Structure formats: structure tokens, C-alpha cells
Amino acid sequence: MSRAQTYTSESVTEGHPDKVADQISDALLDEILRIDPAARCACETLVTTGLVVVAGELGTTARIDVPDVVRAVLRDIGYDSARQGFDGNSCGIIVTLDRQSPDIARGLDSSWESRTARGDIVPLDRQGAGDQGMMVGYACDETPELMPLPISLAHRLARRLSEVRRTGVLPYLRPDGKTQVTVDYENGRPARVSTIVVSAQHTPDVDVERVLAPEIRAQVIEPCLTGERAEDRPVVLVNPTGRFESGGPVADVGLTGRKVIVDTYGSMARHGGGAFSGKDPSKVDRSAAYAARWAAKNVIAAGLAERCEVHLSYAIGVARPVGVHVETFGTDRVDPVRLAKVVPDFFDLRPAAIVRDLRLNRPVFRATAAYGHFGREEPGFTWEERSRAAELAAALA
């Protein structure tokens, strides 16, 4: 008997206030790592009308001009004049950054393993996890990038919405915007895209019904519905409130880390709760979530399952994860018990090993702060590499 379900995911453009905050936090992290690759950073940003607040903790020798970085990010997004509702050239900026807690630093610099070992300690065991918590990585074979179709298409629409604004194709658009995609599934597989919602910030003079809505359909939605999705004919809602003139930090306070589902798998997978932006890779909230995606993606790329979710858990100050779980939801093509045992052998999940293998002590994080951290096969997104798929497949043959 056919089993029908629907899944919905959303994305937002880089001008959404929460994403503005994420980009500022990650741009500051990148500038710090550019000078000091071993830096510790937990940087949080708040944006509101005419004001940016940067707060957090640092453990670094780097000295950067925080207001210069903030203003550069705002101008790049498009908030560069009062006409845009927020002017990065003149907004107020408050900076309150303190030193990292010595109690946290102790767990990173001298792990539980190194304090309890009787003999020589393996170097990669010396660095403990920067916090306790649970991290989840997910992959599936629904799209070429091995991501769920709803979030993949929502990101594609959001990026296209930004592109037509930046290139002047739709010159009346402003930086803020949101997309949402609902997909009908049958027997666990995507059957059709049923609904698309696009909310685009715009200038006061544009006619939404006669100009903006049809042009969003033609320039944003239709180019994104390609291949087998071209015939889906979804219900389309463009600016369903009627108008969207006030947007960005003027309309809504933005905070770092408030779009964790947009950043990951769009509600298709579980989430451990930790945000990413502004955190250096010693924080397993970020680095272990990347490693879990890396492992899950290689399982799917190896053809070992249709869906894979990798769960990791850590204790603060302890190098080795206290829990590793591999879930394939009954879609496995090999013995799931063997698969669960092999995955930890192929992916070293200690924090120092993750940083080494994924080369995370580099300034690559600003690019992750909008349009998702996963499914991006671009330079710097090392956790998207499929380099271990062939070895995994051979080991389980």
C-alpha cells in the first residue's frame, strides 16, 4: 500500500536579519583564523535598527578591527544606504569580547585522556571536545548533492532570489527574503513539489501583483524547477501578505545561530541543538556536525544505503566521542551492524583529527553562513568530499 507524506523546508537570503548576524560572526572568525589558525572563538552577533552588537569569548593573539569587518559584511550584503533600511557605513557598533573561560580552555588543552593516561598519550588524544552535546549528520540519494529535496530546492530558490537582485535583473528587490518548499513523498521517495512560497523584500514603488509576482515566477522559480521537477506544477505563493517593504534588521532583530534548521537539513533529519556560526572548530557543535555529514555522505556515495543519519555525542574535555550511532532507516544495502562498526574506523571523530582531516583551521566559514552548511560542493567545503566512498564500499563488499 502506498504511504504518502509531505515535508517542508525553508531557506532565507543573506539579507535576512538572522543570516546577517551569522555572516558577521563567521567573517570575524575568518579574520581571526587568518592571523591565528589555533585561535579559540565564540562570537555572537545581534543586529537591530541602526545597531550591531558583537559579543563573545576569544582565546587568540590576533588583533582585528571588528567594526571594519562588520561594516564590510553589511555593505557586501547590500545594506549600504538608508534607502535599504540599514546603512552599514553609519550604523552603531558595540563590541564586547572577553577572554575564553580558563575552565573551558583547560579541557581543550589537556583532555581527560591525557590527564588519566599512565603512559605516553597519542597526540590526537590531547585535545578534548570544547563542549558536551549531540551532533547529527545526514545524507540521502534524493539529489545529486545527496541532500533532501525540500531544503535543496529552498536554498536554490533563495540563492536565485539574491542573484537576480545583485545582477539587476529585478532591480526593485532588496536584500531580505525567504523561500519555502513543500514536497509530496510516496513510499519514502519524493513524488512532486506541491507548494512553493517566495517572500521578497522590495521597494515601495513596485506593483506586487502585476510586476513582482509574475517576474519572481519567471526569473526565480521557473529556472529552479529543472529536470524531473519541471513538470510538477506546484501551487506558487509570492509575497502572500501583499507587500514586503520593511525588512532586514529594521523589521526584525537578527541573532547568530537562530536558523539551525535552515543551516542543516530542513527538518528532514534530527538536530542536536548546537548552532555553528562564530564558533572555531574546537567547538564540536560545528566541527563534529561537519564530520557527521562527511561520514553520512560517504555512506550514501558508496551506495550502502538510500538514507543515512550519523549521531555523535561528546563530553567536554574528552577527546573520543562517548557515543556513535549510524541509522539507515531500513534502506541499507549491507548488514547494518557491520556498517555501524565500520564507520568509526573510517572517520576519526576526535576533535583534533576532525580539524586535521577536514582542514578546518582556515578562514573558510563566511561562505557557510548563508544558504546552508551542507550540500555545497564548493572550494573549502571539505566535509562534502566523497573521497572515502570507494574504500567504504570495498570494506563492506
Side-chain angles (χ1 to χ4, degrees), residues 184-331:
D184 294 340
Y185 281 71
E186 293 179 3
N187 297 318
R189 306 295 300 179
R192 63 182 293 268
V193 177
S194 59
T195 306
I196 291 176
V197 183
V198 176
S199 295
Q201 187 191 12
H202 56 82
T203 58
D205 57 335
V206 68
D207 187 311
V208 173
E209 184 176 343
R210 296 181 181 179
V211 177
L212 183 144
E215 292 193 343
I216 289 290
R217 287 172 178 262
Q219 297 294 335
V220 177
I221 296 172
E222 290 178 11
C224 292
L225 285 176
T226 58
E228 62 181 316
R229 303 275 72 90
E231 303 301 321
D232 283 354
R233 302 290 185 265
V235 173
V236 173
L237 301 171
V238 177
N239 285 24
T241 63
R243 302 195 65 79
F244 184 4
E245 295 177 29
S246 180
V250 172
D252 191 10
V253 170
L255 295 171
T256 300
R258 201 157 57 174
K259 283 289 179 284
V260 295
I261 301 303
V262 171
D263 284 343
T264 52
Y265 309 102
S267 81
M268 184 67 78
R270 285 164 280 203
H271 197 291
F276 301 153
S277 290
K279 296 177 181 177
D280 75 87
S282 73
K283 292 10 177 229
V284 285
D285 275 344
R286 179 171 222 155
S287 56
Y290 289 178
R293 161 66 177 174
W294 184 39
K297 185 172 184 177
N298 275 267
V299 168
I300 301 304
L304 303 176
E306 295 177 13
R307 299 170 60 200
C308 181
E309 197 173 74
V310 176
H311 294 226
L312 306 177
S313 54
Y314 291 82
I316 188 169
V318 180
R320 297 177 182 272
V322 297
V324 180
H325 174 66
V326 180
E327 173 63 68
T328 52
F329 308 96
T331 68

Side-chain angles (χ1 to χ4, degrees), residues 346-364:
F346 273 80
F347 302 93
D348 192 334
L349 300 171
R350 293 170 293 174
I354 294 171
V355 172
R356 176 201 64 190
D357 292 343
L358 297 181
R359 307 186 297 283
L360 295 181
N361 57 352
R362 300 172 298 136
V364 298

Side-chain angles (χ1 to χ4, degrees), residues 43-65:
C43 179
E44 313 289 342
T45 302
L46 177 150
V47 292
T48 188
T49 305
L51 179 65
V52 177
V53 179
V54 177
E57 299 80 43
L58 299 175
T60 181
T61 59
R63 295 292 180 267
I64 64 171
D65 190 322

Side-chain angles (χ1 to χ4, degrees), residues 332-346:
D332 43 83
R333 295 168 182 151
V334 296
D335 180 356
V337 176
R338 287 185 62 209
L339 178 62
K341 290 180 179 178
V342 165
V343 166
D345 294 335
F346 273 80

